[in-house]
C-alpha cells in the first residue's frame, strides 16, 4: 500500500493505493479516518462517520464490480481533499464502466451502495478517464456539528464531474 498527503492550494490532499481485495474497504475506512484526523479538521463525529461509510461503499463497489478484464491492470486508489468546509473523496479503479444506481432491495444482501451515497453525500458523480473511472462524493461539513447540503457555495473540485441522475 502506498499513501501520500500534502498541502494543496487552499486545502489539503492525500491519496492511498489499495489492494484489489475484500480487505480494501476496511483499509480505506481506517486510512481516511486517520488522514482526516491528522489534518486536525475538527469535523463533527457524524460527518466523520458519514465519510468513512461512503468511502467503504465506493471501495466495495470498486472491488465487487470492476470488470474481470480490468482486474490486475491496476489497483484501486483513493484521493481525498479538504478545502474550507468541504471534504471531497474519489475512488479510482481501472474499469471504465460507470456505475448505475438502482432501486434498492432492502431485503437483499447487496445493491444499496449508490443509494446510500446519493442519500448521504451532498454531491456525487462518476467520470471516465483513460485509465478507468473515478466515483466521487463531497460532503459539506460545518464546524457547529450540522450537516448542510446547500449551505456551502463551494463547488466540487472537479467541475467536469456531474452528479449521477
Amino acid at each position: 500500500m502506498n499513501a501520500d498527503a500534502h498541502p494543496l492550494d487552499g486545502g489539503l490532499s492525500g491519496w492511498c493505493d489499495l489492494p484489489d481485495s475484500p480487505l480494501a474497504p476496511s483499509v480505506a475506512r481506517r486510512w481516511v479516518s486517520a488522514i482526516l484526523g491528522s489534518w486536525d479538521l475538527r469535523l463533527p463525529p457524524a460527518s466523520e462517520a458519514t465519510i468513512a461509510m461512503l468511502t467503504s461503499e465506493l471501495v466495495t463497489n470498486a472491488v465487487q464490480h470492476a470488470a474481470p478484464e480490468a482486474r490486475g491492470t491496476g489497483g484501486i486508489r483513493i484521493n481525498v481533499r479538504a478545502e474550507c468546509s468541504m471534504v471531497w473523496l474519489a475512488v479510482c479503479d481501472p474499469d471504465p464502466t460507470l456505475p448505475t444506481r438502482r432501486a434498492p432491495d432492502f431485503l437483499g444482501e447487496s445493491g444499496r451502495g449508490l443509494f446510500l451515497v446519493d442519500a448521504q453525500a451532498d454531491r456525487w458523480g462518476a467520470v471516465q478517464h483513460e485509465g478507468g473511472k473515478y466515483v466521487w462524493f463531497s460532503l459539506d461539513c460545518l464546524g457547529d456539528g450540522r450537516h448542510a447540503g446547500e449551505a456551502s457555495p463551494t463547488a466540487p473540485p472537479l467541475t467536469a464531474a456531474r452528479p449521477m441522475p
Side-chain angles (χ1 to χ4, degrees):
M1 179 175 89
N2 295 317
D4 188 28
H6 60 278
L8 182 68
D9 292 338
L12 299 163
S13 177
W15 60 267
C16 179
D17 289 328
L18 299 170
D20 185 7
S21 84
L23 296 175
S26 174
V27 173
R29 278 191 311 274
R30 287 188 214 133
W31 179 80
V32 166
S33 294
I35 194 79
L36 293 175
S38 75
W39 290 343
D40 195 29
L41 299 175
R42 302 179 197 274
L43 294 173
S47 294
E48 288 183 29
T50 298
I51 292 166
M53 185 263 304
L54 296 178
T55 299
S56 183
E57 291 297 333
L58 293 186
V59 172
T60 298
N61 283 351
V63 170
Q64 291 181 345
H65 300 294
E69 59 273 7
R71 294 188 183 276
T73 60
I76 299 167
R77 175 174 277 193
I78 300 174
N79 183 311
V80 63
R81 298 177 186 172
E83 298 179 20
C84 302
S85 64
M86 182 186 68
V87 173
W88 177 90
L89 187 136
V91 175
C92 309
D93 70 59
D95 184 357
T97 307
L98 294 177
T100 55
R101 190 179 59 167
R102 55 187 169 167
D105 174 2
F106 290 104
L107 299 177
E109 291 185 20
S110 64
R112 292 179 291 280
L114 292 180
F115 176 80
L116 291 171
V117 172
D118 188 52
Q120 296 292 314
D122 291 310
R123 289 168 296 280
W124 74 280
V127 177
Q128 290 176 321
H129 60 83
E130 187 176 319
K133 70 171 172 301
Y134 62 90
V135 183
W136 63 271
F137 70 85
S138 66
L139 194 66
D140 296 329
C141 307
L142 301 175
D144 62 2
R146 292 182 297 129
H147 173 77
E150 282 85 37
S152 173
T154 307
L158 297 176
T159 56
R162 293 181 300 214
M164 299 285 288

